[in-house]
Amino acid sequence: MEVVAYLRSAALVLAFVATAFSSRRVWMLADQVGLFTFGLGFYLIPGYLLQFQTNGTIDGLHLFIGRFLGGTMMGQAVMSYKLGKSKDPAVIGMLFTLRTAGCMVLLVMMIANGLLFSGEQQGQWNEQYVWFSLLGAVLWMVGNLIHLIQIRDFGVLTVGCTRMENHLRLDFFWHFVLIFMHIVFTKEMGSITMPHKPFDGLHVSVNQTMGVLVLIGSLFSLVATGFRQPEDKRSACLGSLVMHGSYVILLAWAVIITKSQPVASGLLNLGTTGLPLINVLRAYFFAPKTKEG
């Protein structure tokens, strides 16, 4: 590996050691800043972050899916930041529980994809993927696990049927069904939503990584229905707003400005992102802002 590759890996390890064994607040801030920074990087410069980790040529669809991954990561970071400020122990407990479980699923999927597509000439991950992305996923999981096992009070979740909670449940079911299909039938769904370009291993891997992160966010929408304070429920909505807002911008740009997506598939994709955006907008802006109880 080149010197810069060693420096990237060393920076990840040093950041982990400096924050994972500190206070919960320090780790959460590092987690949120790191996730948002990498998300912004994938949104703005996906070519750089993908090129040094893979063999072959990075095409426009790689960049397009990479930007979707970036928007997902930024939404997750914003949601984590807002939920991390909650005074309710149930919110903090669920935050670390779902993040740790999600990291484990993400890590298994990344390893599986790395092995599955190792023989492809185009869209194959290289050793930089192991020492950057996989290493980062392992450290992210371990850091969340360290702080999860230190939690002693997981609080109490409630059950409600207000308008906000119904919007959150709809957000969960919409994403769970759609993203589950994208993860399991990635190439088949890609032929529907992006028919102008066949998927290679890198397309599949990045798309599934994004899918796991979206599923984590959808689970937050579900458990947020049991949070006692409306502001905590609104924080779960905010992450979805950032995520879907970034999706709509990308799709509108691809269909209207660059014309890199066919109109029919572009409108289909805008519908599948626009409808959940409207749903969480209704939950965020029209739900009561006064505290319950």
Side-chain angles (χ1 to χ4, degrees):
M1 291 195 303
E2 299 178 358
V3 174
V4 66
Y6 288 109
L7 292 177
R8 279 194 293 258
S9 300
L12 289 175
V13 174
L14 288 175
F16 169 79
V17 172
T19 57
F21 300 101
S22 299
S23 67
R24 182 191 302 168
R25 183 180 296 275
V26 170
W27 167 254
M28 290 178 68
L29 182 61
D31 181 331
Q32 295 149 7
V33 171
L35 189 60
F36 189 87
T37 301
F38 281 115
L40 186 62
F42 270 107
Y43 200 77
L44 298 178
I45 51 171
Y48 171 76
L49 291 174
L50 291 174
Q51 185 65 74
F52 76 83
Q53 299 184 78
T54 186
N55 301 323
T57 304
I58 300 298
D59 60 29
L61 186 55
H62 291 129
L63 302 180
F64 187 67
I65 299 176
R67 289 192 169 98
F68 266 79
L69 174 62
T72 305
M73 295 171 73
M74 288 190 291
Q76 287 275 310
V78 170
M79 180 183 63
S80 177
Y81 173 74
K82 292 292 291 182
L83 290 177
K85 297 169 68 175
S86 174
K87 298 296 189 294
D88 187 347
V91 175
I92 302 301
M94 291 308 304
L95 178 62
F96 277 97
T97 299
L98 292 181
R99 291 293 285 275
T100 304
C103 287
M104 291 178 178
V105 174
L106 179 63
L107 181 60
V108 170
M109 189 206 66
M110 291 174 69
I111 293 173
N113 279 333
L115 296 173
L116 181 63
F117 300 113
S118 60
E120 294 194 9
Q121 295 299 314
Q122 175 69 17
Q124 173 188 346
W125 296 111
N126 58 32
E127 64 176 356
Q128 297 296 316
Y129 175 72
V130 176
W131 293 107
F132 186 73
S133 289
L134 274 179
L135 176 62
V138 169
L139 297 177
W140 190 25
M141 179 193 70
V142 173
N144 280 299
L145 183 60
I146 288 172
H147 289 277
L148 173 63
I149 62 179
Q150 295 176 7
I151 297 176
R152 296 294 178 265
D153 181 8
F154 282 86
V156 178
L157 296 177
T158 61
V159 178
C161 292
T162 66
R163 183 168 59 177
M164 171 179 261
E165 286 149 358
N166 289 332
H167 282 302
L168 285 168
R169 290 188 183 97
L170 181 59
D171 187 63
F172 162 73
F173 285 115
W174 177 276
H175 286 108
F176 186 84
V177 173
L178 192 62
I179 298 302
F180 182 80
M181 293 173 64
H182 268 281
I183 292 175
V184 178
F185 307 107
T186 306
K187 290 188 176 182
E188 290 79 4
M189 292 296 291
S191 67
I192 298 174
T193 58
M194 300 176 187
H196 58 295
K197 182 74 175 180
F199 273 26
D200 61 23
L202 183 57
H203 294 128
V204 173
S205 185
V206 176
N207 201 60
Q208 290 182 342
T209 299
M210 179 190 71
V212 171
L213 293 176
V214 174
L215 279 182
I216 297 172
S218 73
L219 288 172
F220 274 111
S221 294
L222 181 63
V223 299
T225 61
F227 294 162
R228 288 177 290 183
Q229 301 299 336
E231 280 306 312
D232 291 332
K233 298 171 185 177
R234 189 171 283 106
S235 295
C237 293
L238 186 59
S240 191
L241 284 177
V242 173
M243 181 178 70
H244 284 292
S246 71
Y247 292 173
V248 169
I249 292 172
L250 284 176
L251 287 167
W253 185 270
V255 174
I256 300 173
I257 306 299
T258 65
K259 303 186 186 303
S260 57
Q261 269 230 326
V263 175
S265 61
L267 291 176
L268 174 63
N269 290 326
L270 276 172
T272 58
T273 56
L275 289 176
L277 177 61
I278 293 171
N279 177 60
V280 292
L281 278 170
R282 287 175 60 85
Y284 188 83
F285 288 106
F286 300 119
K289 295 186 178 182
T290 55
K291 293 185 177 181
E292 297 174 346

